Amino acid sequence: MLKAVPGTNDIFAQAKEYPFREPVFRYIISTAEEVLRGAGAQMVYTPIFEYLEVFQKGVGLTSDIVVKKEMFVFEDRGGRLLALRPEPTAAIVRAFNEHGMKVWPQPVRLFTWGPIFRGERQQKGRYKQFHQVDYEALGLSDPLLDAEAIALMVRIYKTLGLRNLEVKLGSVGDPEDRVRYNQYLRELFGPYASDLSEDSRVRVEANPMRILDSKSERDQALIAELQPKPMLEFLGPAAQKFHEQVCNYLDRLGVAYTVDPSLVRGLDYYVRTAWEVHHAGIGAKSALGGGGRYDGLSEMLGGPPLPGVGFGIGVERLAIALEQEGVALPADPSPTLYLAPLDEAAKIEVLALAEQLRPKIHVEIGYTPKSPRKALEDALKKGARYVGFIGEAERARGVVTLKHLETGEQRALEPLQLHSLFEGPELK
Ligand code: AMP
């Protein structure tokens, strides 16, 4: 029997293992959507695959995604390389430029959610296909938008009922600040290159900052020993002022955060603001979500200058955190009416009646004829408010036997009476 690829998951209501239960996903996505729409962001769907260059140029040649070949790449029939998206931001920037959103009132604030693909080794909270809710504010370089993005992200987590959050805020500076920082790191790590992991050895020359967020224990041990100065000490005056403004705005909004002077992010396109949201239950090495400013990304993709800031929330990791905090999910809606056939001929009668009532109320039906006692058990299991039976006796009189499950009150109703009972906005 064929099985799913390791690192991919089927998501359904009765899934035994967190975080793969569909009601949890629905809760997260609908809450995020409500928060983001309520703040005026528009939903956008971009394809789950793009030309490889969109992601390769965007995330950077020294990111894990490119170095460790974490992208799922395939050829189209013309031999052009395509990739499943390893992150949504580059695709959204591509769409912004392609559809001339520059002429819309700025900033343009967009959100999306959907599957993301990275060929990482599977562990708890790390999958080959996972899901993200993603928000992007494009077209304006103003620390107000960074503060708003962080506040919205935190509000999504809090609305879901999550506590124990920590927002780590840093700045990766402007490109020229990073040139100075990388030079400093190159000199620091250079003599110890042979102590680094194979991936990081390449980075000493190409992009030593990337060594700092390496997942390799070997690299982390060397970092602990060498104690590099943090990025924040290398900010130029413009990036420094921008960072202070983001902090001031967050203080003013009452959003709690801690400044992490050495925060660096996994993707090359970030400038200035970078942040991560951590949760005790997920472990220090993995973030619940992250975000940052990416003013140079559009130009990396061959587009015009386009400032932007945004975040990605990992749905699976968030589901794990919600479970660990024991957050109760909203109950699934239960049917107002459960209609049960008592004999073979009643099957279609029950379905026909259900279809007439369904625009008004939530109706479920039994699919195989049962005794009234068994059908009643089914209705109770479903949490229905009423159960209706149709059998030989009902057919002879042209009625449905309707029982209110809470009071036990039972009456025989003609279809018209049944319709008017469920017509009103408030049912007993
Ligand atoms: P990143 O784009 O790497 O900052 O990822 C944003 C968020 O997506 C992370 O904070 C995680 O919550 C989630 N995430 C990233 N990679 C994975 C993965 N392989 N499996 C599950 N969630 C992930």
Side-chain angles (χ1 to χ4, degrees), residues 86-87 118 120 125-128 130-132 265 267 270 287-290 312-317:
E87 62 95 28
R118 291 184 194 171
E120 295 186 89
R126 200 171 284 284
Y127 312 101
K128 289 192 165 63
F130 60 99
H131 297 77
Q132 272 188 9
R265 302 267 297 126
L267 311 179
Y270 286 113
L288 262 192
I313 290 178
V315 176
E316 282 80 357
R317 285 196 199 158

Side-chain angles (χ1 to χ4, degrees), residues 281-361:
I282 300 290
K285 283 263 161 61
S286 301
L288 262 192
R293 176 159 283 284
Y294 47 84
D295 294 353
L297 173 58
S298 167
E299 286 150 293
M300 289 180 189
L301 301 180
L306 172 66
V309 63
F311 62 74
I313 290 178
V315 176
E316 282 80 357
R317 285 196 199 158
L318 177 50
I320 294 171
L322 288 173
E323 192 211 13
Q324 275 167 350
E325 285 199 9
V327 172
L329 296 182
D332 274 341
S334 44
T336 306
L337 173 63
Y338 182 81
L339 281 173
L342 302 180
D343 59 16
E344 202 54 35
K347 280 168 36 182
I348 182 62
E349 294 168 347
V350 155
L351 176 58
L353 185 57
E355 277 296 291
Q356 284 170 9
L357 292 169
R358 272 174 181 165
K360 288 180 221 143
I361 56 166

Side-chain angles (χ1 to χ4, degrees), residues 65-136:
I65 290 172
V66 174
V67 172
K68 295 202 186 162
K69 306 199 169 35
E70 285 175 356
M71 261 194 278
F72 290 98
V73 177
F74 55 102
E75 268 182 34
D76 69 9
R77 287 191 191 163
R80 188 140 177 209
L81 291 174
L82 308 174
L84 294 181
R85 61 178 179 200
E87 62 95 28
T89 308
I92 290 177
V93 167
R94 193 268 309 140
F96 181 102
N97 289 332
E98 187 165 340
H99 302 289
M101 297 183 197
K102 192 82 200 161
V103 302
W104 299 7
Q106 306 290 305
V108 174
R109 294 155 64 250
L110 303 170
F111 74 97
T112 193
W113 80 271
I116 304 290
F117 306 87
R118 291 184 194 171
E120 295 186 89
R121 210 162 47 83
Q122 188 201 352
Q123 319 162 27
K124 185 168 185 185
R126 200 171 284 284
Y127 312 101
K128 289 192 165 63
Q129 173 172 340
F130 60 99
H131 297 77
Q132 272 188 9
V133 172
D134 183 77
Y135 165 87
E136 314 290 350

Side-chain angles (χ1 to χ4, degrees), residues 36 41 59 66 75-76 144 147 153 180 195 224 228 243-244 250 276 313 332 334 337 348 355 359 370 394 416 426:
L36 295 174
V59 303
V66 174
E75 268 182 34
D76 69 9
L144 194 71
M153 190 179 184
R180 283 187 294 122
D195 295 338
H243 173 65
E244 282 163 15
L250 287 174
E276 281 180 353
I313 290 178
D332 274 341
S334 44
L337 173 63
I348 182 62
E355 277 296 291
K370 289 189 180 172
E394 285 79 10
L416 259 180
E426 279 298 317

